[in-house]
Amino acid sequence: GDSVTQMEGPVTLSEEAFLTINCTYTATGYPSLFWYVQYPGEGLQLLLKATKADDKGSNKGFEATYRKETTSFHLEKGSVQVSDSAVYFCAASSGAGRRALTFGSGTRLQVQP
Amino acid sequence: DADVTQTPRNRITKTGKRIMLECSQTKGHDRMYWYRQDPGLGLRLIYYSFDVKDINKGEISDGYSVSRQAQAKFSLSLESAIPNQTALYFCATSDALAGGGPNNEQFFGPGTRLTVL
């Protein structure tokens, strides 16, 4: 079945450091890809998405590019802030008709001042 | 007011008890989902519903049942709770795109923390 693999955390960075969180997927066909973020005590919220190969999703300084050849959707940000501390989930559309989402295990990011 | 609400927010129960978790939404979305979140495992889909008459099992439906009482309400039941159902449970909704495409955002509730002793 479909699966999503993320790099294990936690990731600890200093403020203004460069962030990369790796994500790869296994799926038949071409799923849509998503990054969700979960702040402490809250539900998940969509950060960005890409629906086809070579698409780049971007939001709040974060970006990720859909790479079909490497089946990857790595999340990057050039300069992280303390307020970016959260858990980040990579997800791919899945199931019959791709009507559901398969999530990775999540990567906790902690940004220190 | 929150668009997707879940009740209760926290629940402690004992093995063998029947538990119902409720989800309501004011977003007018047709599609609703139940996930559980476990440390190190991310979110796993339990059930999803694309309208009142369309309910589908997800990845881990055993031990759970659902009821879609109305477009805005989707309940998850544990008929006989067991300790390994201790988890954080999330409800989510999404809109249906023209043509039924899957490329749409899911909106999550705040979660219900369930502990089964």
Side-chain angles (χ1 to χ4, degrees):
Chain A
D2 296 348
S3 65
V4 175
T5 302
Q6 290 181 235
M7 62 186 288
E8 289 191 15
V11 174
T12 302
L13 296 173
S14 297
E15 206 164 23
E16 299 184 0
F18 184 85
L19 169 71
T20 300
I21 300 177
N22 291 338
C23 171
T24 57
Y25 67 90
T26 302
T28 54
Y30 302 105
S32 295
L33 300 173
F34 306 81
W35 276 101
Y36 280 80
V37 58
Q38 183 180 29
Y39 298 104
E42 298 182 11
L44 281 69
Q45 53 187 276
L46 181 68
L47 181 59
L48 53 84
K49 70 178 184 182
T51 59
K52 62 183 186 296
D54 299 325
D55 267 3
K56 177 184 283 188
S58 61
N59 186 26
K60 299 181 181 179
F62 291 89
E63 57 183 36
T65 301
Y66 191 142
R67 302 287 188 196
K68 183 179 66 174
E69 62 277 9
T70 55
T71 62
S72 65
F73 192 54
H74 304 323
L75 182 69
E76 297 181 335
K77 187 174 185 182
S79 177
V80 294
Q81 306 300 312
V82 172
S83 58
D84 294 326
S85 298
V87 181
Y88 293 83
F89 292 91
C90 185
S93 57
S94 61
R98 299 222 168 270
R99 303 191 301 171
L101 290 177
T102 294
F103 285 85
S105 57
T107 302
R108 182 175 298 279
L109 170 66
Q110 186 155 0
V111 180
Q112 298 176 334
Chain B
D1 287 342
D3 295 318
V4 183
T5 57
Q6 294 183 233
T7 56
R9 294 293 313 276
N10 289 282
R11 181 73 184 268
I12 300 173
T13 190
K14 295 182 178 179
T15 298
K17 294 292 187 182
R18 183 178 188 275
I19 296 297
M20 179 179 285
L21 309 182
E22 299 187 349
C23 176
S24 295
Q25 53 112 346
T26 58
K27 300 189 75 67
H29 289 169
D30 288 326
R31 303 178 176 185
M32 298 187 74
Y33 310 79
W34 275 105
Y35 294 91
R36 65 176 279 175
Q37 183 180 21
D38 298 277
L41 293 178
L43 274 74
R44 292 180 291 167
L45 183 64
I46 306 172
Y47 272 94
Y48 62 103
S49 170
F50 273 33
D51 65 40
V52 175
K53 296 182 181 180
D54 176 19
I55 293 178
N56 306 275
K57 293 182 178 180
E59 179 187 354
I60 52 163
S61 59
D62 288 349
Y64 301 95
S65 62
V66 291
S67 173
R68 184 81 183 266
Q69 301 95 324
Q71 187 208 34
K73 296 183 182 297
F74 191 37
S75 300
L76 176 72
S77 293
L78 289 66
E79 297 300 326
S80 179
I82 56 177
N84 76 2
Q85 291 178 312
T86 293
L88 188 55
Y89 289 84
F90 285 104
C91 174
T93 74
S94 68
D95 204 354
L97 295 179
N103 306 330
N104 49 337
E105 176 180 359
Q106 292 189 14
F107 295 83
F108 284 79
T112 294
R113 185 167 298 281
L114 176 66
T115 302
V116 183
L117 302 176

